[in-house]
Amino acid sequence: MHGFTSLLLLGSCALQSVLGRPDVSRARRDGVLLQRAVTDFIATEEQIALEQLLCNIGAGGCNSQGVASGLVIASPSKSSPDYFYTWTRDSALVFKAIVERFANEYDGSLQTEIVNYIISQAKLQTVSNPSGALSDGQGLGEAKYLVDGSAFTGGWGRPQRDGPALRAITLIGYSKWLIANGYTSTATSLVWPVIRNDLTYVAQYWNQTGFDLWEEVSGSSFFTVASQHRALIEGSALAKSLGSSCSACDAVAPQVLCFLQSFWSPSSGFALANINVNNGRSSKDANVILASIHNFDPALGCDAATFQPCSDRALSSHKVVVDSFRSIYTINAGIGAGSAVAVGRYPEDSYYNGNPWYLNTLAAAEQLYDALYVWQTSGSITVTSTSLAFFRALVPSVAAGTYPSTSATYTTIYNAVFLYADGFVGKVQQYAQTNGSLAEQYDRNTGAALSARDLTWSYASFLTAAARRAGVIPVGWGGGNTAATSVPGTCFATSQGGSYSTVVLTAFPTSQTPQAGQTTTGTFTRPTVTTTLSPTTTGGSGGDCPQATAVAVSFTVTKVTVYGQTVKIVGNTSQLGNWDTSKAIALSASQYTSSNPIWSGSVTLTPGQSVQYKYIVVNTDGSVTWEADPNRAYSIPSGCDSTATKTDRWQ
Ligand SMILES: *[C@@H]1O[C@H](CO)[C@@H](O)[C@H](O)[C@H]1NC(C)=O
Ligand SMILES: *[C@@H]1O[C@H](CO)[C@@H](O)[C@H](O)[C@H]1NC(C)=O
Ligand SMILES: *[C@@H]1O[C@H](CO)[C@@H](O)[C@H](O)[C@H]1NC(C)=O
């Protein structure tokens, strides 16, 4: 936060305390608690998400017995529903997150996974299937394969034309890392031939209909077309940096962007998810939010033609899509217009009766974290007549205009959007399984996990949303190419045929470690995202209040017990008894009721300290029942507050 802004904030807070507006301060306090809870959740869930994601990758993944090397299963679930297949789209998006993480911080084991993935995809490109074969490219549009890499021959929604575009984007991401670290020849000889097949497919077939990302609608899908545009632009730039070219990319990309504009409905204020289709749906769909986050390029600012996350079109679409779930899910009942809710695919969804999805709820957060990054680095927020409704739901008094980061309105909007974004992560925290597992869906009425367990894409979505919140931003794809954002005056259905080649990859050169000084430079920037609502309410980092020297953490756990049993907490520090159950801290049942069976108690801990702990039940005979693994983890907040709360359910 810049000095001038802080002064303004201090001024407005002082005014508020003079006027004594309890509603405002209560809202602030709730906001601070939410942000802390989200920070805590991310601290534990990030590791779980990465581990569980890797479990779903063959051949070594813990849930991937029988899965070929490099292939990603959608979920370990083999029945009701059976997701034990590999999907081109899901796999590309999962590896897009892995490549991003790897490029930000070198990790040899992730590199091995990436290399195995590339080798597996080269092979998959050659597998003839019901969509066709590689010879004319049609086989690349197949959506899913068996886990041994052979064709799935059952009935399915095919083709799905986003897969090749997304795979190209992911492989281009790794190629950029190779080039930045001096391994251009690996990119040229091993990765580029695989990418080229996918780009050729996009340039040839982009103007034909196919099934959308939910595999239900055959037509033209916003998510697919946006991905195709990015792939062609980024593919052309990669070709150039490899001393080659992609003339089909250059010829077709502007036309794909031209076509993308026709999804925008000015009268409805959102991008239609599907066109060239007549299925009776509203076309309000999280498809659009996903397209926006997956085509985020901070260098494109708030460009509306590419629906950048902070563009007025994308923010307006965000509002329309999120609002479409407010009244239809029981778990969203009573939540006000400016607060986050559980987000599904589209309001008419009837799959498993139509429920919120973790990955869409996380995407709603990620789009806003992306927007915050651009506002912060560009130094202003622009509200247009198109985005006014989005902003007014959060800051009712706001008017259209451009607010420089030195203005109070900027700070008010920035903080409100940050809190709103955190609210979506808070929903995922609330409805995740207690051990951190993320399934595909959660029940619209009860919030319980539903459908496929441990969905790989859910975990990838968690990792990227958490990265954005921490200010870790992906490398851009526009590359300063004006074709990235300039929309032709007239749209043409230009497509280009091309030839496809069988690529045989067996191994990659070893020891391709980062070159000194080249590790991540120029690929990622970490801005100082303002994680505080205001200096007086959150404190800590800004030094605007005395830092607490001890924090009384109130632990609450929901556990049904019988008379004579006591719930205690024990953990890995002296204050928590060093795992010695005889030194565990007893909790109180004073607030226990049959409808709300809670045990709670306070333990004084050190700000900034990380602890592991578990709850135990001590029976009348002194015997102990432990909670199930894993150990819980918690980081004690280091701010001005000398109290904190941690609420858990017995696991
Ligand atoms: C093909 O492109 C033209 C021009 O943009 C557009 O009108 C048409 O709807 C597109 N069709 C498909 C299936 O993409
Ligand atoms: C959480 O529990 C479920 C159901 O028992 C199990 O399938 C899953 O593997 C567990 N996840 C983790 C991260 O331990
Ligand atoms: C307790 O566990 C946390 C989290 O794993 C760790 O950071 C911390 O060092 C541990 N504390 C002690 C005293 O071992």
Side-chain angles (χ1 to χ4, degrees):
M1 189 178 293
H2 304 293
F4 187 42
T5 317
S6 303
L7 283 176
L8 284 171
L9 275 168
L10 280 175
S12 67
C13 288
L15 185 65
Q16 274 156 16
S17 54
V18 168
L19 297 176
R21 290 164 56 185
D23 51 333
V24 172
S25 56
R26 188 177 312 119
R28 286 231 162 125
R29 200 187 52 231
D30 290 350
V32 171
L33 291 178
L34 167 70
Q35 295 208 309
R36 282 194 186 152
V38 166
T39 301
D40 288 344
F41 173 56
I42 290 175
T44 50
E45 182 67 17
E46 194 166 5
Q47 195 56 37
I48 296 172
L50 181 61
E51 280 170 16
Q52 294 300 305
L53 179 151
L54 294 173
C55 276
N56 291 356
I57 302 176
C62 70
N63 286 328
S64 302
Q65 288 75 18
V67 180
S69 170
L71 295 186
V72 182
I73 52 168
S75 151
S77 175
K78 292 183 178 174
S79 62
S80 310
D82 183 1
Y83 280 16
F84 201 69
Y85 295 92
T86 188
W87 267 263
T88 305
R89 168 188 36 261
D90 294 39
S91 306
L93 292 174
V94 165
F95 267 98
K96 181 168 174 277
I98 294 179
V99 167
E100 174 191 319
R101 192 177 175 91
F102 165 80
N104 186 53
E105 189 174 347
Y106 178 80
D107 177 328
S109 64
L110 291 185
Q111 190 174 32
T112 303
E113 302 276 2
I114 293 165
V115 162
N116 290 340
Y117 168 69
I118 298 172
I119 293 172
S120 78
Q121 298 305 298
K123 202 189 278 175
L124 221 54
Q125 285 186 336
T126 68
V127 175
S128 294
N129 59 62
S131 292
L134 179 62
S135 52
D136 65 355
Q138 303 245 36
L140 300 178
E142 182 71 354
K144 75 173 194 183
Y145 297 81
L146 304 186
V147 300
D148 65 358
S150 60
F152 167 74
T153 54
W156 209 251
R158 46 172 77 91
Q160 295 180 19
R161 302 193 193 277
D162 54 346
L166 296 169
R167 181 166 55 201
I169 290 167
T170 296
L171 268 49
I172 290 167
Y174 186 59
S175 302
K176 286 180 173 175
W177 183 88
L178 288 170
I179 294 167
N181 288 282
Y183 305 113
T184 303
S185 66
T186 303
T188 306
S189 59
L190 302 181
V191 194
W192 171 246
V194 186
I195 298 170
R196 193 175 47 203
N197 282 336
D198 284 336
L199 294 177
T200 304
Y201 177 87
V202 173
Q204 184 165 3
Y205 296 108
W206 72 275
N207 199 230
Q208 298 189 15
T209 54
F211 278 83
D212 72 330
L213 77 171
W214 310 132
E215 316 192 284
E216 293 175 351
V217 178
S218 182
S220 298
S221 163
F222 183 83
F223 176 81
T224 302
V225 177
S227 307
Q228 289 170 329
H229 177 244
R230 173 178 174 168
L232 295 174
I233 295 287
E234 208 175 7
S236 171
L238 178 72
K240 283 199 189 77
S241 57
L242 297 176
S244 174
S245 65
C246 178
S247 56
C249 300
D250 297 335
V252 168
Q255 294 310 325
V256 180
L257 183 61
C258 201
F259 181 41
L260 188 68
Q261 309 311 304
S262 56
F263 289 79
W264 172 247
S265 168
S267 58
S268 316
F270 66 99
L272 305 170
N274 300 290
I275 61 176
N276 290 330
V277 63
N278 186 0
N279 62 2
R281 288 190 195 165
S282 62
S283 222
K284 297 175 185 174
D285 193 315
N287 171 325
V288 178
I289 296 175
L290 290 166
S292 176
I293 63 169
H294 286 298
N295 298 305
F296 174 41
D297 178 350
L300 297 181
C302 298
D303 174 58
T306 52
F307 294 81
Q308 287 304 305
C310 59
S311 65
D312 56 0
R313 288 177 174 183
L315 291 173
S316 184
S317 300
H318 186 287
K319 178 176 188 333
V320 170
V321 172
V322 169
D323 284 353
S324 77
F325 300 110
R326 290 186 184 275
S327 60
I328 66 171
Y329 296 153
T330 308
I331 58 171
N332 288 343
I335 298 177
S339 295
V341 288
V343 179
R345 301 192 299 176
Y346 52 93
E348 302 84 1
D349 196 357
S350 61
Y351 183 52
Y352 281 80
N353 294 325
N355 298 288
W357 285 41
Y358 297 101
L359 71 92
N360 289 328
T361 309
L362 289 163
E366 185 170 332
Q367 183 184 334
L368 303 180
Y369 294 137
D370 291 348
L372 291 166
Y373 174 87
V374 176
W375 292 332
Q376 180 162 335
T377 49
S378 67
S380 67
I381 297 174
T382 295
V383 177
T384 71
S385 56
T386 301
S387 55
L388 189 59
F390 168 86
F391 287 106
R392 282 222 166 132
L394 304 178
V395 181
S397 59
V398 80
T402 292
Y403 301 97
S405 59
T406 47
S407 65
T409 305
Y410 172 96
T411 305
T412 304
I413 297 175
Y414 187 98
N415 290 340
V417 173
F418 198 168
L419 194 56
Y420 188 42
D422 273 1
F424 291 101
V425 181
K427 292 290 151 197
V428 170
Q429 172 177 26
Q430 185 177 355
Y431 299 118
Q433 284 157 253
T434 46
N435 64 5
S437 266
L438 299 178
E440 180 184 66
Q441 310 177 26
Y442 48 108
D443 191 288
R444 64 193 291 158
N445 298 313
T446 66
L450 259 188
S451 182
R453 73 175 178 99
D454 297 301
L455 192 83
T456 327
W457 189 357
S458 296
Y459 292 122
S461 304
F462 182 86
L463 293 176
T464 55
R468 295 302 170 272
R469 185 177 191 264
V472 178
I473 301 300
V475 62
W477 54 271
N481 182 347
T482 51
T485 55
S486 40
V487 182
T490 313
C491 296
F492 295 103
T494 314
S495 55
Q496 292 229 340
S499 55
Y500 299 83
S501 51
T502 296
V503 184
V504 180
L505 297 178
T506 45
F508 274 53
T510 53
S511 310
Q512 295 199 316
T513 51
Q515 290 208 345
Q518 294 244 16
T519 333
T520 60
T521 332
T523 57
F524 286 83
T525 330
R526 290 171 189 277
T528 46
V529 170
T530 313
T531 56
T532 56
L533 268 183
S534 84
T536 48
T537 49
T538 58
S541 52
D544 297 296
C545 61
Q547 167 115 21
T549 52
V551 180
V553 181
S554 166
F555 289 92
T556 299
V557 63
T558 307
K559 170 68 179 155
V560 176
T561 46
V562 296
Y563 187 77
Q565 290 183 320
T566 309
V567 176
K568 297 185 178 183
I569 182 170
V570 64
N572 76 336
T573 67
S574 53
Q575 302 101 318
L576 291 167
N578 285 323
W579 293 123
D580 178 349
T581 54
S582 71
K583 300 204 174 86
I585 316 297
L587 303 183
S588 154
S590 61
Q591 296 171 65
Y592 187 105
T593 61
S594 58
S595 61
N596 191 23
I598 56 172
W599 287 79
S600 54
S602 177
V603 183
T604 300
L605 295 162
T606 311
Q609 182 185 20
S610 294
V611 298
Q612 289 184 29
Y613 66 97
K614 268 188 182 175
Y615 297 100
I616 56 175
V617 171
V618 182
N619 301 304
T620 33
D621 64 358
S623 64
V624 169
T625 308
W626 287 83
E627 275 194 299
D629 282 336
N631 293 334
R632 297 176 182 275
Y634 178 58
S635 300
I636 318 308
S638 50
C640 346
D641 272 12
S642 54
T643 59
T645 56
K646 183 78 181 74
T647 305
D648 297 309
R649 273 179 289 173
W650 179 269
Q651 69 189 16

